[in-house]
Amino acid sequence: MKTLLLCSTKDTVTSRQLQNHKLTLTLGMTTTFFFLTVYIFVSNLLAQEEQVERWKGLVVTDEYSTKDCRPYSLMRDDYQYSTNSDLVIAQQLGGFYSPYDDIWYDQVGDVDVEHLVARKEAHDSGMCLATSEERYEFAHDLLNLTLATPSVNRTEKRDKDAGEWLPEHNRCWFVYTIVRVKQKYQLTIDERERDAIQDVLNSCSANDIFLEPERPVEDSNDTPPYDSSFKEH
């Protein structure tokens, strides 16, 4: 009887030890698998980050599609800007000046307010992922605003980027400002636009990137008054 009891006890101890060994082995394998999964995930993220092409701090990639974001046509209201922006811009320029064709005009009705980085272009380059407040800020940002001859603004440039359209005059200022705006709002840039901008910058001097229009002497006293009142479209 004592022999049978001893054997039974030994068998129980051996069974428990085997179960504990299996449990320890299972936990070890689970832990190893977990850390291996984490390692692979982090490695893939780092690999993807390394594969992202950047130019002057901007991610070079295709524009966002309607699969990624709501289309600009449904979010236009977020990009409304002050109807008095033209007077503020004219105050900075010293008159109603259109940099794209280097023409001075006599009155505010002769020019359009123009976004260098068009609102739709910005939307498709990342502003679609921003908040409505950020889109509002973008639409009002004087860094990105100028004046333009209506026919140039509405027919030639419209919502094209620098890879699709460049002005006849002040190109260095134009592309340099576009880069600054896109950097400020962390927008993307596609390959064609990057190449077009780089081609222009290759021939620019430090002075060329700043806009300092010379107003005709006979019109030098016609600078429009600053008007800070605000109205919405």
Side-chain angles (χ1 to χ4, degrees):
M1 179 67 70
K2 290 182 178 180
T3 301
L4 291 175
L5 182 59
L6 181 60
C7 290
S8 177
T9 301
K10 288 182 177 180
D11 290 342
T12 300
V13 171
T14 301
S15 177
R16 287 179 179 175
Q17 289 177 340
L18 184 59
Q19 290 177 356
N20 289 338
H21 178 71
K22 290 182 177 179
L23 180 60
T24 301
L25 183 61
T26 301
L27 289 174
M29 292 177 63
T30 302
T31 302
T32 301
F33 179 76
F34 171 76
F35 283 109
L36 180 61
T37 302
V38 171
Y39 173 78
I40 294 174
F41 177 74
V42 173
S43 297
N44 288 338
L45 284 181
L46 293 176
Q48 291 176 5
E49 182 64 24
E50 291 177 356
Q51 292 174 1
V52 172
E53 182 182 357
R54 291 183 179 273
W55 177 80
K56 298 186 181 302
L58 303 175
V59 173
V60 180
T61 186
D62 294 334
E63 294 182 341
Y64 286 87
S65 68
T66 53
K67 295 180 181 179
D68 305 308
C69 297
R70 295 178 64 194
Y72 173 74
S73 59
L74 298 180
M75 305 182 75
R76 292 177 64 99
D77 289 346
D78 286 351
Y79 295 94
Q80 296 287 349
Y81 58 93
S82 171
T83 56
N84 289 81
S85 296
D86 43 18
L87 296 178
V88 178
I89 299 166
Q91 185 70 25
Q92 291 185 330
L93 295 174
F96 302 111
Y97 176 68
S98 172
Y100 295 163
D101 43 12
D102 191 30
I103 297 177
W104 291 89
Y105 290 95
D106 296 328
Q107 54 190 358
V108 66
D110 296 332
V111 291
D112 282 350
V113 173
E114 154 67 5
H115 290 78
L116 280 77
V117 178
R119 290 170 290 171
K120 184 180 184 301
E121 159 65 14
H123 184 82
D124 295 340
S125 300
M127 285 304 296
C128 61
L129 301 176
T131 64
S132 57
E133 290 78 10
E134 290 170 330
R135 287 191 284 270
Y136 176 90
E137 177 187 351
F138 170 83
H140 289 79
D141 194 338
L142 289 174
L143 174 63
N144 190 43
L145 291 177
T146 190
L147 300 177
T149 301
S151 60
V152 174
N153 179 40
R154 303 175 193 180
T155 305
E156 296 181 23
K157 180 177 184 290
R158 305 183 67 181
D159 57 7
K160 298 175 182 176
D161 64 27
E164 302 167 310
W165 183 87
L166 289 169
E168 181 179 356
H169 297 271
N170 298 302
R171 286 189 175 184
C172 292
W173 158 80
F174 177 72
V175 299
Y176 176 70
T177 306
I178 285 176
V179 173
R180 290 179 62 198
V181 171
K182 291 210 164 190
Q183 288 173 338
K184 181 176 181 178
Y185 292 95
Q186 299 181 346
L187 303 178
T188 63
I189 189 169
D190 60 40
E191 292 184 357
R192 180 171 59 177
E193 183 181 13
R194 175 204 60 193
D195 294 344
I197 290 177
Q198 188 61 66
D199 285 345
V200 174
L201 290 177
N202 288 340
S203 61
C204 295
S205 68
N207 292 331
D208 293 334
I209 62 178
F210 299 105
L211 183 64
E212 298 178 348
E214 295 184 5
R215 187 177 177 83
V217 177
E218 62 271 16
D219 298 330
S220 60
N221 295 322
D222 296 335
T223 302
Y226 176 78
D227 187 342
S228 61
S229 61
F230 180 87
K231 297 178 181 179
E232 282 293 314
H233 277 304

